[in-house]
Amino acid sequence: MPGHIVMKRTLLLVIFCMWVPMNVLGRTGNTSVSSSAKRNIVNIGALFTLNSVIGRSAKPAIFAAVEDVNSDSGVLPETKLNLILHDTNCSGFLGTVEALQLMEDDVVVAIGPQSSGIAHVISHVVNELHVPLLSFAATDPSLAALQYPYFLRTTQSDYFQMYAIADLVEYYGWREVIAIFVDDDYGRSGISILGDALSKKRAKISYKAPFTPKAPNTTINDLLVKVNLMESRVYVVHVNPDTGLNIFSEAKSLGMMTSSYVWIATDWLPSLLDSSETVDTDTMNLLQGVIALRHHTPDTDLKKKFMSRWSGLKNKSSASFNSYALYAYDSVWLAARALDAYLKEGGNISFSNDPRLHDTNGSSLHLTSLRIFDGGQQFLQTILGTNFTGVSGQIQFDKDKNLVDPAYDILNIGGTGSRRIGYWSNHSHLSIISPEILHSKPSNTSTSNQHLYSVIWPGEITATPRGWVFPNNGKPLRIAVPNRVIYEEFVSKDSGPSGVRGYCIDVFEAAINLLPYAVPHTYILYGDGKRNPVYDDLVYSVAANKFDAAVGDITIVTNRTKIVDFTQPYMESGLVVVAPVKELKSSPWAFLKPFTVEMWCVTGGFFLLVGAVVWILEHRINHEFRGPPSQQLITIFWFSFSTMFFSHRENTVSTLGRLVLIIWLFVVLIINSSYTASLTSILTVQQLTSRIEGIDTLISSTEPIGIQDGSFAWNYLIDELNIAASRLVKLKNHAEYTIALQRGPNGGGVAAIVDELPYIELFLSSTNCKFRTVGSEFTKSGWGFAFQRDSPLAVDLSTAILQLSENGDLQKIHNKWLTRSECSMQINQVDSNQLSLMSFWGLFLICGIACFIALTIFFCRVICQYRRFSPEAKEGDVEEIDLPRSRRTMRTSSFKDLIGFVDRKEAEIKEILKQKSSDRKRQASHSSDGQSNSPS
C-alpha cells in the first residue's frame, strides 16, 4: 500500500483519537478572530526531530534566524515573530500529532518537517487550513505534486540528486546498479526517480534492496549478503543519516569495501560528516573510497559570516552544521520577507473556523480549534514570488515550485576527510568548474563536456572499477548452442565433456580465457538435431531469460539487436547468391571481344579521319603525299592504319600535321595498351556464364529460390526485398543444395540459393567448384555472441575478441576449422571485361578538336593565298554573255580553279605569287613613267 495512503488513514485515526489541550477548549464560539489584540506578534511554527543529525543543525539555525529577523528593522518593523517549536521524535505517529497541535496555535507558516512521510500527511492538513508549509529537509520528489499546493520545498529535491547519480553512472560506463534504501516515502520515491533517470542513460537498477527505518544490524547483514551474490558491484545508498553508517559497518565486515566495489551515497552521508566537528578514525575507515553528493551552496560572504557565528549560537547541540542548517535559516527569512511584503500589500492576519469541522455530541474532540488562515492563498503567492540571496544561495522558485539552479558537490571520501572531485548542476551536469561560473555561459551537457577529477576507489585503487563481476553464488551461465545438422564445422554436438564443438565454440572459449575473472558456464543444445533450429527463436529465448547467452553462428541483424546485446563480430558475413554455371569455350573471334561494337566503329573512323587530315595538311608540301589519285588513296589508308603499330614510313613536315599526328599517336598508345590488357584477361581468365547475375535478377524473376533451413534470410527476403514466400524453398543439407541447383527451376529445383558467405564458401569447396557465386554480397553483417540486455559480459567479451584478432589467434582458429580449396570466386562475365566508348570519349574528343583546328587554320591560309592568286575577270567579257549562264560558269570555273589551286605544290604557288607581285610593281612603274613624259 502506498505510504501516503497509510499516512492519510493515520491522520483520520489521530483526529478521532487525540485529546485536545485544555487551553483551547474555550475558543469554540468564535467564527473569526482578529489579530488586533496581538498585532505585533505573529506565530510561526517549526516541526522536526530535534535529536537527529538534521535537527541538531537546524534548531540553532532557526532560532538564530528568528532572532535576526526580530532585530532587523528593515523587515517586519512593527511585527515580531514568535517561534513555536514541536518535536516529532522520529515517529510518524507522534509527528502527526505534534503537527496537528501546532496548527491549533494559529501559525501563519510552518517550518518543516524533515521527514517526507510526515510531510505527506501534514500537507493534507495545511491544504485545508491554508497555511504554507516550508520544508527545509523533506526531499521526496513526489511532494512536488499538484496534490500539495501549500507545500514548498526550501531545499533541493531528490529528483535532481538522482539525475546527478545517473550522470555519474553514465560517466564511468556502468550499466547496472543495486539500490540500497530505507523503505519509506523518502527512500522509495528517490529510488523510483533514480530508475527513471538511469533508463534514459541505457542503464538500470538491477536489484532494489529496501529495509525498514529501524532495522537491526542482522537484517542489514542478511541484505548485504544477498546483494553481494549478484553481478553488479555498484551500490547506491539512499538512507537516513542517523542509521546510515550501519550499512557500511556491515559491508566492511563482509569484505565489500575492497577493490572492484563502488559505493555511491546520497546527501545523507555528507550531512552526517559535516555536522560532526571531528569524525573518529574507525568511522572514516568504513567510508574509504565512497563517492557522495552534497548540496552545493556558494561560498558567499553571507555564508562565511554565518559560519563564523556558529560557535556562538544559542541552542547549539552540535559542534558543526550541515547544509540543512543553511536551508532552515533561509526558510525563516523567506517567511519573514514574504510576510513583510504581504502586510505591506494590505494583507491581514486573521483566522476563521471551518464549518465542516464541528464537534459531535458527546465528543471531547474540539475540531473547531483547527482554523483556516484567511489570507493563506495570497500569502502563498507572495512566498512563491519572493526572490533574495540567502546563506544557502539564491532563494527563488521556478514554475514547478523548486528552487532554481539545483547543484551538488561530488565528494570522494578518503583518509581523514573528503575531497571534492567536481560538481553537478542542472545547467551543465558534471564539471570541475563551479556552477556559479557555468550559469553565466550557455548550457552544454554533451558527453565531451563532462569532466571530473580522479577518484581513489575502495581498496585504494585509481583505475575505474568495472562495476560488475561474475556472481559468487556458483550458478553457471546457461549458454544455448544451436544443434546444427549442416555446416557442423561451425558448431555441432559432441561426445566430449562440454557436449559441443566447432569454430564458434573455440572462439568463445578463447575469449573467455582472456577475461580477468572466471566465468563458469554450461552449454545447452538448442534444437532437435533433425533440422537446423530457427535462430530468431533462439535469440528470443535469451531475451526471455530462458538462457543467459547464445553462442554459435548467430548473425547480428537489426531485429535481434533490439532485444539482446551482441559482442563484437568475430566473423564477417553477408548474403550472397549461388547459381549453376557453365564454362564458356574459347571463340575464334575472341580478339574482337575487348572492344564493344561502338568502340570498334569509332576507332576505325578516327583512323581514317586522321589519315585524311594528315594527307590534306601534307599534300601541298610533302612529295610523299603526292602522285596519282589511286596512289594517294592507298597512301591515306596505309598511313592511317600503320600508326596503330607506329610503323608509318611517311614523314610529316608541316607544323599542323605534326601536331595532329602526335596527339593521335598518344591516343593510339592508350587504345593499344587497353586492348592488350583486356584481351589478355579474356583469354587467360576462366569464363563462366549463368542466367542469374545477382540478387536483382532473382527479385525481378518468378523462379524459386533456395534458403537454408533456420536462416534469417527467409525473413529478410520477404520483409526487406518483398519476395513472395511461395518462391522460397527451405533446404536442410548439402545434398538438397546440390540436387536443387542441378535440377533447376524447370526440374523441380531452384534457380539459385541465397545464403551467408561463410556457409557458401564451405559448400562450394565441398562440391568441387561446380557452382559459383554471382553478383556481390548484398548485405553486410557479422556473427556475434548474444547476451541478455545490458549484460557486462557482452562488453568484456567484445574486448577479448578484438584482442584475439590482434594477436592472430582468431585466424589460427579459423584455419583449424575452415580450411578449404579456393573455388568460391565470382563469375567473370565477358561483358564486364569489354571496353566501351565511355572509357575513351575524352581522348577522341581531344583528337577531333585538334583535327578541326588544324584544318581550319589550313583552309584559312589557302583561301587567303587563292584570293591573291586568282586573276580578276574582264568586265567586257562578262557583258558579252548571258548573265545567268555567266554566273553558273563563273561559279563552276572558280570551284575548279580552287581545287586546282589546292592541288598545286606550295613552292609553285609561292613562286607564281612572287612573279605576279613583281609584274604588278613593274606595271605600276611604267604607268608612272608614261604620265611624266606626256605633253602638258
Side-chain angles (χ1 to χ4, degrees), residues 326-343:
L326 302 177
Y327 291 120
Y329 182 87
D330 284 342
S331 298
V332 176
W333 270 100
L334 172 63
R337 290 177 181 273
L339 183 60
D340 182 56
Y342 169 76
L343 294 175

Side-chain angles (χ1 to χ4, degrees), residues 121-135:
V121 177
I122 300 306
S123 294
H124 291 286
V125 177
V126 297
N127 286 351
E128 297 295 331
L129 303 181
H130 297 180
V131 177
L133 181 64
L134 307 183
S135 177

